[in-house]
Amino acid sequence: MKQLLTTLLFVGLCHSIMAQFPQNFSYQAVARDSSGACLADQLISLQLSIIDDSAAMNPIYQELFTNVQTNGVGHFQVVVGTGAIQGSSPEFDQLDWNMNRQLRHLKVELSPNNDFNLQEVGMSQLLAVPYATASANGKLINDNSGEEFILLYGENGEFNVAIGGIDDANGTRNSGVVRLMDNAGDIRTELGVATNNGGFINWRGPNGNLNGALGSSVSSPDHGGISVRDASGLDQVSLTVDANGNGVVAADLKPFFMDHPTKPNHEIWYCAIEGPEAAAYERGTTQLINGVAHVQFSDHFEIVANPTTLTVMLTPWSEQSKGLAVVERSSTGFTVRELGGGKGNYQIDWEAKAVRKNHENWQVIREKEKDPFADFNLNRQ
């Protein structure tokens, strides 16, 4: 049988998630017999197969049409994707048109007697139309939310970039996100707008768990924060601004380190002093003269310390000391006298501590708060 003279009309060719676009496409041709005469006004059978571009030319979809009516000049038309599915072919709307980024061909087999004695009459490459072009470029529509998004693929056929709206468990829509995937198609970085309309960046380790997040607080969206996670994705270090506008650093340890001055391959690590209050301290050495000493605080301590919370510790340098007492104290300093009317003349070490102004209500025991970065842990679109 001579090859059919065909004209392909693509009404729609698209990935199944693009629910608002047509799921099928039309195929029409003129059927002829072996002598080239039109098969006019008769019933024929067709088997259509979509073939991949591999060396084996494997069919990824196959369907059968029977009782197809030709007109007076042998013309007929069918809608690909609506025939009787053959063998193990998937449903037409489940085909992955991006699979391995290969070309697709349409193979046509025809029986002029409307039976199963099919003969191959041709194979044509499927060409893109506007819907298919959008699909090839990755622009899709989420069936559940109606949000548009774009998928970009790597050479191995896996997603490597996804751009579109967030479809989270709370049903929030219209917030954008960009997801960057590794070579297996798993999310490693996210940049987007969270459900509180605050921007965020997530990054993940090879195990897929969050190992860092930067964004705005859930309770105070206009305040920022940084979270650093462990291998399980649990927050271990955070740098945030609380609802009162105070910067807060939280961690198991808060050390500082410096190079060792005499050992080039070593460092010195000191850990911050911990306590149940937001405190400040100042210390020094002063001279007791005739049993009296006055200590003037530095300007910075006077600025940050609440004088009503002030405590002072004293250590005399003399074993002859009769003891010491703080007899006056204020926001600017304190006065020391030797006990028993003593007139000693020796040096004194002193240390003054106070709660920082505006931090007097620091809570030591508190309920766990919601993870401020929990909403940024978004699943793949």
Side-chain angles (χ1 to χ4, degrees), residues 31-32 37-44 69-75:
R32 300 178 184 275
C38 295
L39 300 176
D41 296 319
Q42 68 181 67
L43 296 175
I44 61 174
Q69 179 69 56
T70 66
N71 65 11
V73 295
H75 178 268

Side-chain angles (χ1 to χ4, degrees), residues 97-376:
W97 296 100
N98 286 304
M99 185 177 63
N100 299 324
R101 312 301 289 166
Q102 292 180 343
L103 300 176
R104 301 287 183 264
H105 298 80
L106 183 66
K107 177 182 176 181
V108 181
E109 298 170 276
L110 184 146
S111 170
N113 299 318
N114 196 26
D115 56 22
F116 296 100
N117 185 22
L118 298 164
Q119 302 176 49
E120 183 177 344
V121 295
M123 184 160 56
S124 302
Q125 180 182 326
L126 295 177
L127 302 177
V129 294
Y131 297 136
T133 301
S135 178
N137 287 334
K139 184 177 180 182
L140 306 173
I141 293 181
N142 188 296
D143 277 337
N144 297 321
S145 67
E147 294 272 3
E148 290 187 348
F149 60 99
I150 295 174
L151 299 179
L152 303 180
Y153 293 78
E155 185 179 1
N156 63 358
E158 292 287 352
F159 300 162
N160 55 23
V161 179
I163 305 172
I166 293 173
D167 182 12
D168 71 358
N170 299 319
T172 302
R173 311 288 186 232
N174 302 317
S175 294
V177 64
V178 177
R179 296 177 173 91
L180 305 180
M181 289 77 163
D182 61 17
N183 57 13
D186 295 322
I187 296 173
R188 290 295 173 260
T189 305
E190 295 157 304
L191 168 65
V193 179
T195 55
N196 62 6
N197 292 325
F200 71 89
I201 299 174
N202 284 342
W203 54 98
R204 300 173 184 272
N207 66 0
N209 290 330
L210 279 180
N211 58 18
L214 184 153
S216 58
S217 168
V218 170
S219 58
S220 302
D222 292 324
H223 295 158
I226 299 173
S227 169
V228 181
R229 312 296 180 99
D230 61 19
S232 300
L234 300 177
D235 185 18
Q236 297 299 341
V237 180
S238 64
L239 173 62
T240 58
V241 178
D242 66 20
N244 296 319
N246 300 310
V248 179
V249 178
D252 292 331
L253 297 172
K254 297 184 287 294
F256 82 89
F257 67 94
M258 58 178 284
D259 290 337
H260 196 291
T262 61
K263 297 180 179 180
N265 296 326
H266 292 76
E267 296 172 332
I268 296 173
W269 285 68
Y270 269 26
C271 196
I273 296 174
E274 308 290 347
E277 57 189 4
Y281 79 92
E282 186 171 27
R283 64 188 180 89
T285 301
T286 189
Q287 179 70 41
L288 192 73
I289 299 175
N290 292 326
V292 180
H294 183 74
V295 173
Q296 182 79 27
F297 292 143
S298 62
D299 291 342
H300 57 77
F301 188 76
E302 181 180 343
I303 291 170
V304 302
N306 181 338
T308 64
T309 65
L310 183 67
T311 59
V312 179
M313 297 174 58
L314 304 171
T315 303
W317 281 29
S318 172
E319 62 183 8
Q320 303 300 320
S321 173
K322 297 181 179 180
L324 302 169
V326 175
V327 295
E328 295 178 1
R329 59 183 179 179
S330 68
S331 61
T332 59
F334 60 90
T335 300
V336 178
R337 288 188 180 275
E338 190 172 34
L339 297 179
K343 302 294 182 179
N345 295 278
Y346 48 83
Q347 289 184 306
I348 302 169
D349 289 337
W350 61 270
E351 183 177 305
K353 292 188 179 74
V355 175
R356 289 173 54 194
K357 292 178 181 177
N358 302 318
H359 294 277
E360 291 82 2
N361 297 320
W362 179 263
Q363 296 181 18
V364 178
I365 306 298
R366 60 183 75 186
E367 293 182 0
K368 286 186 176 181
E369 296 181 353
K370 177 183 176 182
D371 181 354
F373 299 93
D375 285 358
F376 307 159

